[in-house]
Amino acid sequence: MQPILQTPRLRLRPAAHSDADALWALWTDPAVRRFLWDDRVISPSEAAATLGDCLALAPIGLGLWVAEVRDANALVGCAGLLPVSTAAAYDPRLAGLVEPLVALAPAVWGHGYAGEALDALLAHAAGALGLARLAGVTDVPNVASDRMLQRAGFDVLGEVPGPRFQLRTYLWRAPARADEVAS
């Protein structure tokens, strides 16, 4: 199951069906959808279906979390750990891997929340889920996401054509645990 993930300033709680309207509003914001949905305006029913797909992953610890500022309980975005899908068609090295996703409302960009959310996802992936590797994918023009992934320790694999923009792909390896190093 998905736990609640805490950062110094954020609370990431597992998404629920009741979050569909708020997520649709986030996902259709022009600045958010530019890279998240390749600038496509999705319908409320498509958002609900996407949320349903994410909720189906919860029993294995993957899926979508809603990001809230802890002091205000204000929704500022979402974060997820999802099986690589579309990007694997462009870069087959990503097939079978899980990738993190962070999408925040533009009003909170530049506050470091995305990095906090990503760090929480990485800790959950490596710790509770025991994942040794994660994929990363950004659209090449998404410079902020590129910097965030590289700061978090993702190594660039390369660039491949994508559905709208050229894609930059990455690989993250979980740090060795002390008990693994000792043996």
Side-chain angles (χ1 to χ4, degrees):
M1 295 301 287
Q2 288 176 284
I4 293 173
L5 305 175
Q6 303 275 353
T7 78
R9 299 176 299 159
L10 296 176
R11 177 179 177 259
L12 303 176
R13 65 166 173 79
H17 287 290
S18 58
D19 297 312
D21 290 340
L23 289 169
W24 176 72
L26 172 70
W27 293 342
T28 56
D29 180 287
V32 174
R33 75 172 189 247
R34 178 175 182 220
F35 297 122
L36 186 62
W37 294 98
D38 293 324
D39 215 19
R40 207 168 42 85
V41 178
I42 62 168
S43 68
S45 61
E46 189 174 0
T50 298
L51 176 58
D53 292 343
C54 292
L55 295 176
L57 297 169
I60 59 171
L62 300 177
L64 193 68
W65 286 261
V66 172
E68 300 171 329
V69 175
R70 288 173 64 170
D71 294 342
N73 283 337
L75 185 138
V76 295
C78 64
L81 285 171
L82 306 169
V84 175
S85 59
T86 304
Y90 296 96
D91 189 340
R93 297 173 293 182
L94 306 182
L97 295 176
V98 170
E99 71 174 310
L101 167 127
V102 178
L104 297 178
V108 298
W109 289 0
H111 291 81
Y113 292 139
E116 281 187 36
L118 179 59
D119 288 346
L121 293 173
L122 296 178
H124 175 63
L129 301 180
L131 297 175
R133 299 179 315 145
L134 293 177
V137 180
T138 63
D139 292 302
V140 169
N142 191 344
V143 175
S145 290
D146 172 67
R147 280 194 307 259
M148 179 183 67
L149 288 175
Q150 291 195 53
R151 271 195 309 267
F154 282 77
D155 295 316
V156 175
L157 291 174
E159 293 183 9
V160 296
R164 180 161 189 245
F165 297 109
Q166 189 87 353
L167 298 176
R168 184 167 292 128
T169 60
Y170 310 78
L171 185 64
W172 177 84
R173 289 176 178 84
R177 296 188 327 234
D179 60 335
E180 291 174 346
V181 174
S183 44

